[in-house]
Amino acid sequence: MTTVASRPSRSPRQAPVFSKDLLEGQVILVTGGGSGLGLSMSEGLCQAGAQVVICGRSPERLGQAAEKLRSLGGKAGAIPCDVRDAEQVAQLVAKTVESYGKIDGLINNAAGNFLCAAEDLSVGGFDAVVKIVLYGSVNTTLAVGRHLIARGAPGSVLSILTPYAWTGSAFVLPSSCAKAGVLAMTRSLAVEWGIYGIRCNAIAPGPFPTEGAWSRLVPDAAMIEGLAEQRVPMGRVGAHSELANLAVFLMSDASPYQNGDCVTIDGGSWLSGAGEFSEYTRYDRERLKTLFKAMRPKK
Ligand code: HXC
Ligand code: NAP
């Protein structure tokens, strides 16, 4: 009774979706761009012609990532920075402007996270995540925003959230609180900075395999397989290229009217847990239809 028929599906497109000059002349800062989804989005931005500047705490990892982007033909630089520290963020903006002339866009991607029962969480543990995610995103957004406003230039700020920014989630209390704060920042500044031509949007990804997330959030590989199969209507985790394409679109002039939005990319996952009767999708569909039919009033 609990079998789900295998799903017909399209494979994510691997070839570039956008023209090579979509982001030509744009300088885009990606926090946490040295690994995982930040690196994949940076690759997408490079393929669309942007000058990308990645930042993170580990200079070694950052240098290797920038080298990889350049080896693929991208224009990429790396500047170490801890986004928790507003002074380092001010330096990051100053150095980027000195090296590349300006900044046009920012992706707030840097994050910290771990699984912990709330009753076992220390003050330091809560601080560690909230300072990276919420304070970090505020620090970078205000610094880049000030630069754009001073230049009188339009710009785009994109923050990477997760659907539990609005649903909340067990075992990731600091991350839930921080991501909710970044969503509030996005919506607040979309209105406040619209007059300057600065667009603020967000993406809420569902599960996308990365070393950083999986090592901290998936205690056992079989658990995520089961989760994807049961929770995600599309029956699978996300592919990095799918997220990168969405990020490039939102950062580009292909979406100049998009402001204050949060686009979910999770295969329908969060909604599947919300609908009262969505659990029924786990049942064999023909058997389900027979049951529905049997419930119809007899004429
Ligand atoms: C409980 C923990 C902990 C854990 C650290 N702490 N890890 N508490 N469980 N697993 C506590 C420590 O005891 C300490 O508190 C405080 O946190 C700071 O610890 P440090 O190790 O000094 O922190 P720091 O070096 O700043 O590292 C930050 C970090 C780390 C968040 C803890 O994991 C990190 O650097 N993460 C960056 C990358 C990352 O997390 N990527 C995954 C993003 S995935 P006390 O009180 O003892 O001082 C993601 C996906 C979301 O966000 C959505 C999925 C669908
Ligand atoms: P990741 O590889 O661990 O990425 C996190 C990045 O943030 C790392 O490059 C890390 O580099 C950087 N970082 C952490 N603390 C920093 C700090 N204080 N200053 C500057 N940079 C810092 O994990 P990921 O899975 O790619 O996550 C990327 C983003 O996607 C995060 O916002 C995450 O919440 C979001 N997300 C991921 C998933 C998923 O399934 N993977 C789902 C939903 C949302 P350093 O350690 O070198 O600083």
Side-chain angles (χ1 to χ4, degrees), residues 35 37 57 61 82 84 109-117 120-129 132-133 161-164 172 175 179 205-208 210-217:
S35 66
L37 300 180
R57 292 168 300 178
R61 180 152 75 161
D82 185 332
R84 292 173 291 190
N109 165 82
N113 209 348
F114 52 74
L115 290 172
C116 186
D120 297 334
L121 191 63
S122 67
V123 172
F126 187 81
D127 257 16
V129 172
I132 299 171
V133 177
L161 308 178
T162 151
Y164 66 61
V172 283
S175 176
K179 295 285 190 185
F208 283 70
T210 66
E211 166 62 26
W214 259 224
S215 64
R216 292 175 175 91
L217 303 173

